[in-house]
Amino acid sequence: MTQSNQDMLAAARFIKEIGRGKDGARSLSRDDAQLLYSAMLDRRVSDLELGAILLAMRVKGESVEEIAGFLAAAEASFTPLQAPAGRPAPVVLPSYNGSRHMANLTPLLALLLAREGVPVLMHGVTHDPQRVTSAEIFAALGLPHAADAPQAEAALDAGQPVFIPIQHLAPKLARLLAMRRILGVRNSTHTLVKIMQPFARPALRLSSYTHPEYLEMLTNYFTSAAPAERGDAFLMRGTEGETVANARRAQQIAWFHAGEQTILVEKQQVAEDLPDLPEGRDATTTAAWISEVMAGQRPVPQSIQEQVAHCVTVAKDIASRP
C-alpha cells in the first residue's frame, strides 16, 4: 500500500545529523532513532531517503542510544512469540552468516540444547550464495522450517528446535535486510537481528560480533541500555559470524545479566587434540555428521559442550526468577 504524503516522515533532519561523515556526524537520541527506524520499517520514508540513511549509518557506525532506539522499533514491528510454560527460558539463536570455510555447527548447538529440555528458536536467512546456512542444514536433517508463529510455537511446545526464516518471523525487518542486495553492503538491521529478543517472556539471546568495534558497542549496550526484563545475553566473537563456539578454539563468552558482565569462557583456548569434525562443509555432509554426534557415534566438541552447559544453567536461572 502506498503511503500518503501526510503519513510520510520527513527524514532530512535526521540525515543532516548522521550524514556528515565518520568524524562530523552526530548520533541520534534514542527517541529519534526509534521514530526514524519505525518509519523505515513502515515504508514511511522515501527510497532515496532510505538509501541515504542506511549508507550514512554504515559510515558513521551506530551508537548505543541509536541501537536501543532501533531495537525497540524492530521488536515492536512483529507479534512476539509465546514460549512453553513450565520450562527453562527459551534460547534464541540468530543465524545470518552461515559458513564459508568450515562446517556450520549452529544446528548442532540447537539440537543439543533441545535435548536438554531447553526451548530453542533459531531465526535467520534461508540461503546465501556464498555460504552454507543453518536453514539448509536444518532441511538436510529433516527438520522443517516454521512457516509462521503458530507453527514455531507448536514445535517449541513439542520440545523440538525451531528454525523460522526472518521473512516469516519479522517481515518488515526482512525487507530492510534485503536492501543489502541493492546497496551491496550490510546495514544496521544486520546488527539488530543478531541481538533482538522475539519472545514475550524473558529469554537468553546468543549474540555474536565480527568486528572489534562492535564488541565495545554491544558490551556498552548490554550493560547500560538493554532492558533487564527482556532476559539475558551471551556475547562472543562469531564463528564465521555464527553464535556457536568454535570447535577448534573456544572464544570468550560474556554473560550479561541486569547490567552486569561475567566472563563465562576465556578466549582463545586452543584445543589440545584436533576435534573430530565433518570432512566437508556442505549441508548434507554437515547434517550427517551432526546426526552421528546426536546418536553418540561421535563426540560433541568440547567447546560446544561447554557452551551448552552454560546456556542450560542460565536458561534455568532466568525461568526461576520472580
Side-chain angles (χ1 to χ4, degrees):
M1 180 182 295
T2 302
Q3 295 284 347
S4 69
N5 290 335
Q6 289 80 8
D7 293 332
M8 300 296 283
L9 177 71
R13 68 181 180 94
F14 302 107
I15 298 171
K16 183 178 179 180
E17 298 297 316
I18 65 176
R20 297 175 182 271
K22 187 171 181 61
D23 297 322
R26 292 189 290 267
S27 294
L28 303 176
S29 68
R30 183 185 300 211
D31 288 344
D32 278 349
Q34 184 171 350
L35 174 66
L36 178 61
Y37 200 76
S38 292
M40 292 162 60
L41 290 165
D42 292 338
R43 298 175 182 261
R44 292 189 295 109
V45 297
S46 69
D47 290 345
L48 179 63
E49 291 169 313
L50 177 61
I53 293 163
L54 295 179
L55 289 177
M57 292 302 303
R58 172 77 178 185
V59 172
K60 182 184 81 66
E62 304 90 349
S63 70
V64 169
E65 289 298 298
E66 286 169 335
I67 282 293
F70 289 168
L71 188 59
E75 292 183 347
S77 72
F78 61 92
T79 303
L81 298 175
Q82 299 299 321
R87 304 258 296 280
V91 172
V92 181
L93 299 176
S95 186
Y96 290 84
N97 288 69
S99 63
R100 178 178 290 161
H101 302 293
M102 56 191 297
N104 175 9
L105 301 185
T106 316
L108 172 62
L109 175 61
L111 286 167
L112 291 169
L113 287 168
R115 187 164 70 180
E116 295 292 329
V118 176
V120 182
L121 178 82
M122 185 184 296
H123 58 87
V125 295
T126 55
H127 178 70
D128 187 311
Q130 304 298 325
R131 293 172 177 263
V132 180
T133 66
S134 294
E136 291 165 334
I137 297 170
F138 258 69
L141 286 164
L143 298 171
H145 303 165
D148 52 31
Q151 279 191 14
E153 291 169 348
L156 290 170
D157 286 339
Q160 301 169 357
V162 175
F163 181 92
I164 183 168
I166 185 62
Q167 63 266 28
H168 299 323
L169 174 65
K172 293 182 179 181
L173 283 167
R175 182 181 70 89
L176 294 185
L177 281 177
M179 291 296 108
R180 182 187 182 187
R181 294 197 296 269
I182 299 172
L183 298 176
V185 294
R186 293 173 180 259
N187 61 68
S188 301
T189 310
H190 290 83
T191 299
L192 298 177
V193 293
K194 290 187 176 184
I195 62 173
M196 74 179 187
Q197 206 281 68
F199 285 95
R201 59 176 279 195
L204 172 61
R205 288 169 278 179
L206 270 57
S207 300
S208 66
Y209 66 93
T210 53
H211 302 292
E213 59 268 26
Y214 280 95
L215 170 61
E216 179 179 359
M217 189 274 289
L218 291 174
T219 297
N220 289 336
Y221 169 75
F222 284 124
T223 53
S224 66
E229 66 273 12
R230 302 292 288 143
D232 297 4
F234 287 177
L235 179 63
M236 59 180 278
R237 187 177 185 89
T239 301
E240 295 199 62
E242 291 290 316
T243 57
V244 64
N246 192 318
R248 294 190 175 95
R249 55 175 64 193
Q251 308 95 314
Q252 175 178 292
I253 298 179
W255 169 30
F256 295 92
H257 161 58
E260 298 293 330
Q261 178 183 191
T262 302
I263 303 301
L264 297 177
V265 177
E266 296 294 339
K267 65 179 179 179
Q268 302 302 311
Q269 294 177 333
V270 181
E272 295 181 0
D273 300 314
L274 189 65
D276 173 22
L277 295 173
E279 294 183 1
R281 68 176 186 88
D282 61 280
T284 300
T285 300
T286 303
W289 183 89
I290 288 173
S291 296
E292 291 174 357
V293 172
M294 296 303 297
Q297 298 168 0
R298 295 180 184 270
V300 179
Q302 182 178 348
S303 59
I304 298 177
Q305 194 169 27
E306 186 174 4
Q307 185 182 19
V308 169
H310 287 304
C311 289
V312 171
T313 297
V314 173
K316 290 180 178 179
D317 178 63
I318 294 172
S320 69
R321 295 171 195 165

